[in-house]
Amino acid sequence: MSANTSRPGPGEWEEAARLLSRTARDLPTGRHQHHKERLMAHIEQAQRARDTSPDPAKARRLRLPRPAIALPALAAAVAAAVIAGTASTGGNGDGPGRLATGPALTTQIGAASPDGVSRLLDQVSLVAAKDGHHPALEAGQYVYIESKAADTFVKTVDGKSSLASHALHKRQVWYSADGTKGWLIDPAVNDSPEGETLSLPDEQGNTPVAGLNHPSYDYLAKLPTDPDALLAKIYKETRGHGNSPDQEAFTTIGDLLGECYPPPALSKALFKAAARIPGVVTVNDAVDAVGRHGVAVARLDEKSGQREEWIFDTHTHVFLGQRSVQVGKAGGPEDLVKPGTVLFTSAVLRRAVVDDIKQVPAHTG
């Protein structure tokens, strides 16, 4: 931790805590952890700009104290203040790592159909169950996940709001089996190109218990692999969260498929469970963050107008990545977000088991 990192006063934290129960999960679909990290950075950037800079054009950039995986309540709470990635600053609005910004990300909205969902997810589940490149995690080892991601957000500078995007960038994360040790390198989050620790407990002594919203490998390995039992657990533990029970269940499964390392049997169960959620559709053409085209399994959040898409290779049915696309009219402070806007996009490039934090596996094949 940087010793000179200013902290919001007790009043700000009290207000953040008050917001937690009401809006902690009102984040762009499918990327709770990522957006909690982004939102935490925006909140602290705005706070520092207000407290230390008489000239808004010279607002200081802030370092995110710790990514959301190690902030059990706070990161979720402050997210409520800037739902959907809204950044309110007096400076250039760049992230902690001075990640370049550009115009909003857009796409052609792919046609959706309720037909073929079960068939596609059955094919995907069979591939997941036979994944021969998915070794079990042993004591002392770490999961390594490398991806590329970009996002669109509402940027407010000197009281004027517009849509902007963070450039496509590499994200690398390592975490231990129990989730108490880890490291993150992401220029959209970290102040230093070296990244920073995810290890627990944090500065306040918090060591959150693993769960659906912050799963460890050990936690995932103990989840039921019967699709009906798994889906029932997801509905039960996410009750009252999100915009609807079905959307929250779909989002939760998407989070477990993204920057996680579920055992093959659990991956199979997750896909089969997703097929049982009402409103799930297929999308004939979807593109991940690095331009790979595929077919998607998706669900539209009727309240936000956002469609979360899980993208798979059309021929091999291997999971490629995820994206959230605005397909309906957005309301409220997100009115600038028009249909066709890509709110978040990612591409998973590598998942592997390594022997140490910050170790990168050699490319094979």
Side-chain angles (χ1 to χ4, degrees):
M1 281 292 293
S2 174
N4 64 0
T5 300
S6 71
R7 306 297 298 173
E12 283 84 359
W13 288 145
E14 183 177 348
E15 175 65 9
R18 184 183 66 79
L19 291 168
L20 172 61
S21 61
R22 189 172 75 245
T23 54
R25 278 163 288 273
D26 290 342
L27 299 166
T29 317
R31 290 298 302 163
H32 291 111
Q33 179 174 316
H34 170 87
H35 283 284
K36 286 176 187 176
E37 292 164 357
R38 291 288 322 127
L39 293 165
M40 187 67 173
H42 291 324
I43 281 287
E44 294 216 0
Q45 186 179 20
Q47 177 72 20
R48 179 67 67 85
R50 187 189 73 186
D51 291 346
T52 67
S53 180
D55 180 359
K58 297 179 181 179
R60 292 175 63 190
R61 172 173 52 94
L62 283 190
R63 175 174 180 265
L64 179 65
R66 195 178 299 271
I69 192 172
L71 290 170
L74 182 58
V78 298
V82 279
I83 293 170
T86 303
S88 179
T89 79
N92 60 13
D94 288 352
R98 295 293 186 183
L99 190 63
T101 58
L105 306 173
T106 60
T107 188
Q108 292 290 325
I109 299 174
S113 172
D115 300 328
V117 172
S118 294
R119 181 173 64 256
L120 175 58
L121 284 171
D122 278 345
Q123 293 170 326
V124 168
S125 69
L126 289 174
V127 171
K130 296 177 181 178
D131 188 353
H133 303 285
H134 197 107
L137 190 64
E138 298 181 358
Q141 292 185 312
Y142 294 82
V143 172
Y144 171 76
I145 300 175
E146 180 182 321
S147 60
K148 286 195 173 181
D151 66 284
T152 295
F153 61 96
V154 179
K155 180 172 70 172
T156 300
V157 178
D158 298 329
K160 297 181 180 180
S161 296
S162 62
L163 283 187
S165 65
H166 286 109
L168 183 69
H169 59 280
K170 183 164 72 172
R171 176 179 168 95
Q172 297 167 282
V173 64
W174 293 258
Y175 60 87
S176 61
D178 63 3
T180 63
K181 296 180 181 180
W183 194 267
L184 174 71
I185 300 176
D186 184 344
V189 176
N190 304 135
D191 194 35
S192 166
E194 298 297 319
E196 65 182 289
T197 183
L198 297 178
S199 297
L200 301 172
D202 63 14
E203 288 83 350
Q204 289 74 42
N206 298 312
T207 304
V209 177
L212 288 175
N213 285 327
H214 42 89
S216 66
Y217 176 83
D218 289 345
Y219 174 83
L220 294 174
K222 295 176 182 177
L223 286 176
T225 55
D226 174 79
D228 291 320
L230 178 60
L231 188 59
K233 179 179 179 64
I234 291 171
Y235 272 110
K236 179 180 179 180
E237 295 195 13
T238 60
R239 184 176 296 138
H241 301 167
N243 288 336
S244 73
D246 293 333
Q247 188 63 39
E248 187 66 12
F250 187 81
T251 295
T252 298
I253 292 175
D255 289 343
L256 297 179
L257 296 171
E259 200 167 84
C260 288
Y261 191 75
L266 179 61
S267 292
K268 179 180 179 180
L270 288 168
F271 290 126
K272 287 188 170 293
R276 292 159 164 78
I277 299 174
V280 176
V281 298
T282 59
V283 176
N284 61 350
D285 183 43
V287 186
D288 74 2
V290 295
R292 297 177 297 189
H293 286 256
V295 62
V297 173
R299 193 178 193 284
L300 174 65
D301 185 331
E302 297 286 352
K303 184 175 180 180
S304 68
Q306 298 172 19
R307 186 170 73 191
E308 179 184 353
E309 301 176 348
W310 310 339
I311 306 168
F312 304 92
D313 185 276
T314 305
H315 304 291
T316 66
H317 301 114
V318 169
F319 178 80
L320 300 178
Q322 299 173 313
R323 69 178 184 177
S324 294
V325 179
Q326 191 75 33
V327 300
K329 180 177 174 57
E334 293 82 46
D335 192 51
L336 287 169
V337 182
K338 305 302 182 184
T341 302
V342 179
L343 299 164
F344 176 81
T345 180
S346 70
V348 176
L349 303 181
R350 283 197 283 178
R351 299 180 202 256
V353 172
V354 296
D355 294 326
D356 202 357
I357 286 180
K358 292 189 278 187
Q359 178 183 341
V360 176
H363 284 281
T364 59

